[in-house]
Amino acid sequence: MNLERLNFISNLMILILVFFGGLVWADSNGVWHDAKDVRGGIFGNDEQPNTNNFSFINPVSFNGILTANANAIFNNILTANNNAIFNGNVGIGTTNPRTKLEISGAVKIGTTAQTCDSSMQGTIRFSNSKFEGCDGTDWIELSGAAGTPNNDKTITTNMQDINLHEIFGYPSTPGTFTLTINPGVTIYSSSTSTPALYTGVFPSGSQVTIVNKGDIVGRGGNGGKGGDAIAEYTAYPGSPGGAGGPAIYTDIDLSIDNRGLISGGGGGGGGGGSMSTSMGQYGGSGGGGGAGAGILSTGGRRGAGWTNPTPGSPGTRTTGGSGGSPEPGFYGSYGGRGGDLGLPGSSGTASTTCCGFPASVGGSGGVAGKYIATNGHSVTWINAGDRRGRVS
């Protein structure tokens, strides 16, 4: 055998392995030929088996990139220290994989700290004793408690006065229930006496979770009316501002993952006081309405009298309305400003006075609404998020 032939053979072959029935070999480009059963070895270059199926019987280690264009069967240990690319089916514990991945045996899934985004969509992990899946935006719990049904509901549009128990169809058996409120969605209430979200009562043993990515906001309190001055020497005080309404009222133990806003409505501003003399009666100005979602609060009316003080302004989605003011050039008072989301309203002022004539005080500002009324139940905050208002 001459030197030229030896060099040719050297360049042609990287490795030769003995297996039952023949040889498996790779050329200088790292392409395998007639690959069938690989019984062991350590390969340092990138390897590309051809279109024949191949199986790993003994432990095999690849330090480069393994690319399989046909089926790959693993009967022992495969160590890939770089990427492994399989264009055919992969079987683990089976010699006839019928799908892209078929496993005969249990599968153990670990966790990852990677952020869920579009590149991770469809990924599953096991974190904090729960199976979670990435939906392209967030990690969502996949599993319910053992032996209980798993129920998930998502709210995609604004809603008023929702009842969680009703949304889940009034379940009569325990289960795991998760309500997700999508970004940009607002849950609001029709009155300060009604919460934006009421849980209702679930069967004992249920696990209920609210995942809030939007806003849950109570109604703002109305502004207080200005004090009346309708009789000589008689001055009536301004009315107090209304309390803001609650965001959530729970009658069960509850878990909340708040990634948005949960806020009680702002309290209404108090009405201004009045003044009465033998020369005239000066009614008080109205208080501003508190901030809140849905049906906005109203500003307080001006008090009765000879002059024309202004009423309070209604609240907006985020800020309280301004209080009214006295008619320019006359005695009078100022209404209190309505509270912003989760804040109390301001008190109205007492009327200006002169010469010992009676003047009345302004009304007190309304208290902020509760971001949650627990009613004695336990609330677990997975994420606190933006919370405004009172809690009880």
Side-chain angles (χ1 to χ4, degrees), residues 12-357:
L12 180 65
M13 300 179 62
I14 291 176
L15 56 90
I16 297 178
L17 299 175
V18 179
F19 67 105
F20 291 127
L23 300 177
V24 56
W25 56 279
D27 62 23
S28 60
N29 294 318
V31 178
W32 288 12
H33 296 269
D34 297 327
K36 293 182 180 179
D37 292 339
V38 181
R39 295 193 172 277
I42 298 177
F43 309 100
N45 296 327
D46 295 351
E47 307 295 346
Q48 289 187 300
N50 67 1
T51 55
N52 293 325
N53 297 342
F54 69 99
S55 60
F56 296 95
I57 297 176
N58 292 326
V60 179
S61 177
F62 288 89
N63 295 320
I65 298 175
L66 168 65
T67 301
N69 295 317
N71 292 351
I73 312 301
F74 299 98
N75 297 314
N76 209 303
I77 298 173
L78 167 67
T79 302
N81 296 316
N82 207 313
N83 293 343
I85 302 168
F86 302 101
N87 295 318
N89 294 341
V90 176
I92 300 177
T94 176
T95 59
N96 184 31
R98 291 157 294 182
T99 59
K100 284 295 183 182
L101 175 62
E102 183 173 343
I103 300 171
S104 177
V107 178
K108 183 176 181 180
I109 297 177
T111 189
T112 177
Q114 286 186 259
T115 301
C116 174
D117 56 25
S118 57
S119 67
M120 293 283 287
Q121 188 172 9
T123 303
I124 298 173
R125 72 179 184 183
F126 187 73
S127 178
N128 298 321
S129 301
K130 297 180 296 183
F131 286 104
E132 296 178 331
C134 172
D135 65 0
T137 303
D138 296 292
W139 290 103
I140 306 299
E141 183 179 354
L142 301 178
S143 61
T148 62
N150 190 354
N151 302 276
D152 296 308
K153 300 289 185 181
T154 300
I155 296 179
T156 59
T157 59
N158 296 345
M159 294 184 68
Q160 173 182 289
D161 303 341
I162 67 171
N163 182 316
L164 210 58
H165 194 230
E166 178 183 6
I167 286 175
F168 284 103
Y170 302 104
S172 58
T173 58
T176 298
F177 304 92
T178 301
L179 176 73
T180 298
I181 300 168
N182 275 358
V185 173
T186 298
I187 308 301
Y188 59 93
S189 58
S190 59
S191 73
T192 55
S193 60
T194 303
L197 185 153
Y198 171 57
T199 62
V201 180
F202 283 74
S204 178
S206 295
Q207 298 178 18
V208 180
T209 301
I210 298 171
V211 180
N212 177 45
K213 303 175 186 178
D215 296 340
I216 307 174
V217 180
R219 189 178 186 276
N222 293 331
K225 177 180 174 297
D228 291 328
I230 54 178
E232 190 174 330
Y233 304 120
T234 303
Y236 292 94
S239 300
I248 300 174
Y249 186 98
T250 182
D251 266 332
I252 56 172
D253 292 343
L254 183 65
S255 294
I256 301 177
D257 184 356
N258 182 29
R259 310 176 199 179
L261 169 68
I262 301 177
S263 177
S274 66
M275 176 187 172
S276 180
T277 73
S278 60
M279 303 294 294
Q281 288 81 49
Y282 307 94
S285 303
I295 300 173
L296 299 180
S297 63
T298 60
R301 295 182 294 112
R302 66 181 181 88
W306 289 7
T307 57
N308 293 298
T310 59
S313 300
T316 70
R317 173 68 173 73
T318 57
T319 60
S322 59
S325 56
E327 182 178 351
F330 291 91
Y331 297 111
S333 59
Y334 292 86
R337 184 181 184 278
D340 294 344
L341 281 181
L343 295 177
S346 300
S347 297
T349 68
S351 175
T352 54
T353 187
C354 174
C355 312
F357 292 112

